[in-house]
Structure formats: structure tokens, C-alpha cells
Amino acid sequence: MDTKTVIKSQYHASLEMLRQAVAACPPNLWNNPAQKNKYWHIAYHGLFYTHFYLHSSEKAFQPWPKHRREATSLELSKTHEPIRPYTKEEILEYHQYLSDRVDEMVDAIDLEGESGFYWLPFNKLELQLYNIRHLMQHTGELAERLWAVAGLEINWVGMGPKEKKDAE
């Protein structure tokens, strides 16, 4: 198995775990006013940055058609400015949009090239590890909220579905 196949597998596995966390979220948790960072906002943030860092650079970024800039950063939610929430259906739509593009985006990456983002001083291979870790940090945060508030768990996904079939 080559490096790009492994990277694609781990993106798909991570995205599937995020999808499970989004799909399982009960309505009372989605935009809970008691939470500083809303559930929907964490899910969007994880998807946005995964999508963003799969591009060759900031300038090359092609946003999801329903992208709203004010929803990208979790820091913005600390200003207490109201941000119109995305619905669960919209987040799942963005998830599918990104999942459908992961393979072609990873295939286009020069893993030995620079990150393409001046604030990330490493190569594209390390950027992929960084990106997957970021996605999983937020997926774990959502999974923890699901367990604490609703007693719901998400399933561990070890590899993408295509790679899993190939391994069998």
C-alpha cells in the first residue's frame, strides 16, 4: 500500500467518525446555548479546515458552495456575535461533498512539497497528518459531548471502506 492510499484511508475513516457524531446528535445538543462552542460549529470547523488544508494553498482554496466565512473559526464564537447555525442536514451535505473529493485532492498533492500555508512550516506529508489529527481532535470533542449529554457512542473506524475491502 502506498502513502497516498494510506492517507486517503485515514481521511475516510476520520470523516466517517465525524459523520457518525453529526448523525447521532440529538436536537437539544446541536445548538445548545449553554455551550460556548456549539456542536454544529465544531462539526463545521472540522470539515472546513480539513477541506481547506487539502488544497495546495490558501489562494487555491475552492470553498463549499454553502460556505459562510463567519462560521470557520471557533474563535469567532468567543466574541458572542450570533452566528446563524448550519442544520444537521447541511453539515451532512458538506461532509458528503468533502468525502466525494478526498481521493482526487490527495492524489493531486506533492507530498514532498512545502505545506502551501506560510503559517505551517512543514511539508505536505506532515500537513496531511496535522490535518487528520485536527479533524480527529474535534470529532473526539463531539463524541465526548454525545456520551456526556446523551449516553451515545460512535463507532471506531480504523480505515476507509475501500481500503478495508482491499485488505480482506
Side-chain angles (χ1 to χ4, degrees), residues 20-21 53 70 106-107 115 128 147 159 163:
Q20 288 180 40
Y53 288 132
E70 72 273 10
V106 170
D107 284 340
S115 78
Q128 304 321 299
W147 176 252
M159 61 177 51
E163 293 74 22

Side-chain angles (χ1 to χ4, degrees), residues 132-144:
I132 292 166
R133 285 187 322 108
H134 178 258
L135 177 59
M136 286 309 300
Q137 173 192 352
H138 291 302
T139 300
E141 186 177 0
L142 297 177
E144 177 60 27

Side-chain angles (χ1 to χ4, degrees), residues 34-122:
Q35 299 289 328
K36 183 186 258 186
N37 288 322
K38 309 297 186 244
Y39 198 96
W40 72 265
H41 199 185
I42 295 166
Y44 185 80
H45 172 84
L47 286 168
F48 171 80
Y49 278 99
T50 300
H51 185 207
F52 182 67
Y53 288 132
L54 276 165
H55 285 77
S56 61
S57 67
E58 181 178 16
K59 187 176 181 176
F61 178 61
Q62 296 292 315
W64 174 52
K66 294 183 181 179
H67 169 68
R68 296 193 319 264
R69 186 173 181 203
E70 72 273 10
T72 58
S73 174
L74 294 176
E75 294 295 317
L76 293 175
S77 64
K78 293 178 183 174
T79 65
H80 304 291
E81 296 292 324
I83 301 171
R84 183 171 54 91
Y86 282 101
T87 65
K88 184 187 289 194
E89 292 74 23
E90 287 172 319
I91 296 296
L92 290 170
E93 179 185 323
Y94 190 14
H95 172 275
Q96 190 62 55
Y97 175 88
L98 180 55
S99 294
D100 290 346
R101 287 162 180 76
V102 165
D103 290 356
E104 68 187 61
M105 294 179 85
V106 170
D107 284 340
I109 295 171
D110 172 7
L111 295 175
E112 294 180 18
E114 293 183 13
S115 78
F117 302 90
Y118 69 88
W119 57 90
L120 299 174
F122 36 72

